[in-house]
Amino acid sequence: MARVIHFEEHALARLRARVAAAEEANQDLIAFARGHSGAVSSIHHAVVAVMEAESWDALLHVVTQEWPLILGLDAVALALVVGDRGFRVDAGGVQMVDAALLQRSLDQVDGVVLRGVERGHPLFGPACDLIRAEALIRLDGDAPGGLIALGQRAQQSLDARHNSELLMFLGRSLSAMIRRWMSEA
């Protein structure tokens, strides 16, 4: 006697598995889009805050004190080379640093560097021991040259392409504002 094989149950099970996989991929895409949208919003908020700074000191305050809150970071440091002098600014204030050391750091960053680290860049100062993920953004322009260092305690998986575009925008915006305040000083 011939046996009848029911393909309908097998086909239905495969179809359900494919629909479940498509739904999971869709949820992942939505989560990425929401996260990217949040990152764009945070970067724009940070740029507007810098644009609203009413003085050089206010600009430094926004970058070192407000950006960590706006961007959800643990540490932000700004390093500038002005003529033959180097400066590092963080939540603790302004410190003089060796301009040659800063220039070597500048030479190692082409645009944006995103990386997980065991210890943060020395530009973070005392906070460098706590940093596990960092972004170094080169500040370009006429003068001064510099770096912005953004750090987090938590290790992050970084989407380099999308994040570096946003961070380049952040760096270019900050460079423009620094040039503005330096020319007025």
Side-chain angles (χ1 to χ4, degrees):
M1 173 184 286
R3 183 168 178 224
V4 176
I5 301 174
H6 296 282
F7 289 105
E8 183 178 343
E9 289 179 22
H10 179 67
L12 189 55
R14 280 187 44 189
L15 184 57
R16 284 183 179 139
R18 288 176 63 191
V19 168
E23 182 64 27
E24 184 178 341
N26 188 35
Q27 293 302 320
D28 289 346
L29 183 59
I30 289 170
F32 171 78
R34 285 183 181 144
H36 185 68
S37 174
V40 169
S41 178
S42 295
I43 295 288
H44 287 173
H45 184 79
V47 169
V48 169
V50 165
M51 291 171 61
E52 291 175 344
E54 296 181 2
S55 68
W56 174 249
D57 289 339
L59 177 111
L60 296 178
H61 174 81
V62 166
V63 170
T64 61
Q65 304 288 321
E66 294 180 25
W67 276 14
L69 300 172
I70 293 169
L71 299 172
L73 300 169
D74 294 305
V76 175
L78 172 64
L80 299 172
V81 178
V82 181
D84 61 348
R85 298 189 311 176
F87 302 91
R88 185 183 81 75
V89 185
D90 66 7
V94 179
Q95 298 88 35
M96 298 285 292
V97 294
D98 182 20
L101 176 71
L102 285 181
Q103 191 59 52
R104 280 195 301 274
S105 291
L106 275 167
D107 293 341
Q108 294 172 2
V109 176
D110 182 28
V112 174
V113 173
L114 296 165
R115 60 188 176 199
V117 294
E118 291 295 317
R119 184 174 194 269
H121 194 281
L123 288 177
F124 288 112
C128 70
D129 290 330
L130 305 173
I131 302 301
R132 295 297 173 261
E134 67 185 15
L136 303 175
I137 308 163
R138 186 181 177 109
L139 302 177
D140 286 321
D142 301 330
L147 283 175
I148 185 85
L150 309 175
Q152 289 183 222
R153 292 175 188 219
Q155 292 182 341
Q156 295 281 345
S157 60
L158 302 169
D159 177 2
R161 185 182 51 138
H162 292 293
N163 287 337
S164 58
E165 290 173 5
L166 289 170
L167 294 174
M168 285 295 294
F169 172 72
L170 184 70
R172 286 185 189 126
S173 300
L174 180 58
S175 293
M177 294 309 297
I178 288 172
R179 281 191 305 275
R180 173 183 155 204
W181 284 110
M182 296 295 265
S183 69
E184 291 182 13

